[in-house]
Structure formats: structure tokens, C-alpha cells
Amino acid sequence: MADFQTRVNMFPARGVPGAAVAAEGVVYTAFNYISDGTVSPGTFAFGDAQSSITSAPQFAHAKVASDAKLLGFVVRVNGAFVNTPFQSVSNVYYKGSPVTIAVRGQFYLQVPESGAPTEGQSVLCDPATGAITFGAAGTANDTGWIVHLPQGMGTAEAGDIVYIEHLGAQTTAAAGVGG
């Protein structure tokens, strides 16, 4: 009962973290990655800087120690199921499962405990911890994605669902970020 509705709003409920807001304009990574067992939908994925397409397998990580290469935003795909009662239910893609990663589009994001975003802020993700925060465009760990507050939402706090977008245009002040 802890997840029961706590607020009443005149707008319908928003999506779940990692779900697409709109199917149009979504671009995925050109290469298919597999989970290292730490990646979950609604977060960012990183790749090994030393790996290349010719080396296999290509793992997607929720965080890496150093030399991280941001791959993109992990998309929620209901393409697998738990087929054993001995495996607990989790949002984390188990090791070896394919991971769909978007580099462009609009997706739902659950606001983490680390802070409340405002309209138009950049989404930051620390590759060492995987922690998502919000800040000014061009700052360290800028992902190139920006925050939008859904219709009817004036402010956002931890646990709220907002959406983030990266539409391929230069969305940040950082050179080379934003495509």
C-alpha cells in the first residue's frame, strides 16, 4: 500500500522511468550493447573507453571507474521475463541481457533524491557513481539531455516523474555535446 496514490491531479498519471514520451524522433545506439548486471531503465549507460566494436562483448555499465564513454539513456523495454521463482524481481537488466540505449528522443525520468530540477536545466550524470543531478549546460558530466516539467507541474521534487529530451540539436553550451 506504500505505492498508493498520494496526490490527486487533473492530468493523467505520467509514464514510468525509461519509457518513451513519444515514439517519433527516437534514435538508438548503432551498436547493440549488453548489460553488465548494473544497468536499469531510466538511467544513463556508459561503455568502456578501451573497447571497440570489433571486440566482444560490448557491455553497458551503470557506472565505471574511469575513462567512461557516455552511451546514452537506458530505455525501458519489456522484452524479457523472469522465468524462475528463485530470481527476485528487479528493474536492473541482468548480466548478459540486451540493453536498448537511446541517444536522441524524449523519455520519462524519475527525479532522484539528489535534487529538484527546474525547466530547461541540463541533466548531469557522474560516470564514477552513476548519480543523476541537474545543473547548467556545459558543466562537468553534462549529458546533453535537458529537463522538461510536464504540463501542470510547476516544480519537481524527489520521486516525481519529469521528462528529458535530446533532439539532436545543439542543446548545451558544451562543445561537441548535443550532436
Side-chain angles (χ1 to χ4, degrees):
M1 293 298 270
D3 292 337
F4 191 73
Q5 179 178 350
T6 57
R7 289 188 263 182
V8 177
N9 196 343
M10 61 188 268
F11 298 102
R14 294 175 189 92
V16 293
V21 174
E24 300 84 25
V26 177
V27 177
Y28 302 103
T29 55
F31 187 78
N32 296 323
Y33 291 88
I34 59 174
S35 175
D36 70 339
T38 63
V39 180
S40 61
T43 62
F44 287 92
F46 297 91
D48 297 323
Q50 70 274 9
S51 64
S52 67
I53 292 178
T54 58
S55 65
Q58 293 290 302
F59 284 105
H61 306 276
K63 58 186 177 182
V64 292
S66 63
D67 294 332
K69 175 184 165 193
L70 178 65
L71 299 175
F73 189 72
V74 181
V75 177
R76 182 176 298 276
V77 177
N78 298 329
F81 59 92
V82 178
N83 61 357
T84 175
F86 303 109
Q87 185 174 358
S88 63
V89 176
S90 172
N91 265 339
V92 177
Y93 289 110
Y94 59 89
K95 186 173 183 172
S97 65
V99 178
T100 303
I101 301 171
V103 294
R104 304 279 188 272
Q106 294 178 324
F107 294 92
Y108 290 108
L109 173 79
Q110 185 171 18
V111 177
E113 296 292 327
S114 60
T118 58
E119 178 69 29
Q121 269 190 315
S122 288
V123 181
L124 314 175
C125 187
D126 184 355
T129 64
I132 295 174
T133 56
F134 308 97
T139 58
N141 302 324
D142 189 350
T143 62
W145 294 73
I146 58 172
V147 175
H148 289 294
L149 302 180
Q151 182 179 10
M153 184 181 249
T155 60
E157 57 190 41
D160 285 344
I161 300 291
V162 297
Y163 72 92
I164 62 171
E165 74 175 11
H166 190 326
L167 300 178
Q170 189 74 18
T171 57
T172 67
V177 177

